[in-house]
Amino acid sequence: METVKNHFFSDISVMLGRSMRHIFRSMDTIITVTIMPIAMMLLFVYVLGGAIQTGTDNYVNYLLPGILLIAIASGVSYTAYRLFIDVQRGIFERFHTMPIARSTLLWGHVITSLVSNAISVVVILLVSLLMGFRSSAGFLPWLAVAGILALFTLALTWVAAIAGLSAKSVDGASAFSYPIIFLPFISSAFVPTESMPTIVRIFAENQPVTSIVEAIRALLSGQPLNNDIWIALAWCVGIMLVAYIFAMRVYKKRI
């Protein structure tokens, strides 16, 4: 049993290394995932920030959680793209003829998404510090923020896996991410929901991004936590489990 487990993790490490090499060789992936959210953060802080009323003196602190979610949503679209390319090139079939666990190819993409998005998040955090971001949070709140972002990444990655495995074209593989990237704009990520029209406010207050943003914002600012963190965790875990089940079904049909 121990040998099988070691073999499984060894296979995953090989697949992870393969996927990470593809990422680092593709500069457009790195630029899109990191530069676009940073440019958006610069735009909102230095161009639009003065006209936005949030009730806080430091708009970077208010804005950062939403920017991080947008970066992750943008990053996971490449997971769908890479899976689609592997399917089209027959990579799955080639690896399945080798003595490796069949699920490791899929798990390699999933873990790659976690690692690459973690790198993007760290880069964006460093830039936000230069822009004036400050947090009074201690180690445990930061650990909780990392956990929420990891769960959010996993949830979207399994959704991306469904798109990548079942899409008929490259555009179809990555198109799923467009609505997800747009969701933070109809949430409390950029402005308080109280400023929105009634119908928009109802939607904004009851979609997953708002609860995730509010939970991260409270953790980073050292504010008391309310039900947002439990709602955020419920959304992330729920989406992840449902997407995982459907992704594995689609994957098994492919093999």
Side-chain angles (χ1 to χ4, degrees):
M1 184 67 179
E2 190 68 26
T3 303
V4 173
K5 185 186 296 185
N6 292 337
H7 185 61
F8 177 77
F9 286 112
S10 176
D11 291 343
I12 287 182
S13 67
V14 171
M15 297 302 163
L16 173 62
R18 169 183 175 267
S19 295
M20 290 303 299
R21 283 193 296 272
H22 287 172
I23 288 178
F24 288 123
R25 289 172 183 169
S26 177
M27 289 306 297
D28 60 329
T29 301
I30 299 172
I31 291 171
T32 302
V33 173
T34 57
I35 300 301
M36 187 273 286
I38 290 172
M40 191 177 297
M41 185 164 58
L42 291 169
L43 172 66
F44 272 89
V45 172
Y46 294 122
V47 179
L48 305 175
I52 299 175
Q53 302 298 320
T54 61
T56 61
D57 296 329
N58 192 336
Y59 186 53
V60 181
N61 284 18
Y62 188 91
L63 181 69
L64 182 61
I67 294 295
L68 295 178
L69 298 192
I70 288 175
I72 292 171
S74 177
V76 298
S77 67
Y78 285 95
T79 301
Y81 169 78
R82 289 188 295 270
L83 271 170
F84 175 80
I85 295 299
D86 278 354
V87 170
Q88 294 301 306
R89 292 177 178 175
I91 300 297
F92 281 22
E93 288 77 6
R94 295 180 190 176
F95 278 115
H96 291 161
T97 62
M98 301 178 183
I100 61 174
R102 292 197 166 192
S103 60
T104 53
L105 181 57
L106 184 57
W107 276 104
H109 283 285
V110 172
I111 299 174
T112 297
S113 177
L114 269 177
V115 175
S116 60
N117 278 292
I119 294 172
S120 299
V121 165
V122 170
V123 172
I124 293 170
L125 281 172
L126 292 175
V127 174
S128 70
L129 287 171
L130 296 176
M131 295 173 62
F133 168 73
R134 296 296 181 268
S135 173
S136 59
F139 175 74
L140 288 179
W142 272 103
L143 188 62
V145 170
I148 293 172
L149 292 176
L151 281 174
F152 182 73
T153 303
L154 282 173
L156 294 194
T157 299
W158 284 112
V159 175
I162 299 172
L165 292 169
S166 58
K168 304 299 181 183
S169 66
V170 173
D171 292 336
S174 57
F176 86 96
S177 66
Y178 300 151
I180 299 173
I181 294 173
F182 186 68
L183 273 181
F185 293 96
I186 314 178
S187 72
S188 62
F190 297 94
V191 297
T193 56
E194 291 80 6
S195 63
M196 301 176 183
T198 303
I199 295 177
V200 179
R201 185 178 72 248
I202 292 173
F203 174 80
E205 291 177 348
N206 293 280
Q207 58 119 322
V209 170
T210 292
S211 58
I212 296 170
V213 163
E214 293 294 340
I216 294 175
R217 193 176 285 148
L219 287 165
L220 292 179
S221 62
Q223 297 297 317
L225 294 173
N226 52 28
N227 290 334
D228 283 320
I229 189 167
W230 304 116
I231 297 173
L233 291 174
W235 272 113
C236 290
V237 173
I239 293 172
M240 181 176 63
L241 290 176
V242 173
Y244 170 79
I245 292 171
F246 280 97
M248 293 307 295
R249 286 183 178 178
V250 176
Y251 183 65
K252 287 177 181 178
K253 289 180 180 179
R254 284 288 180 182
I255 62 178

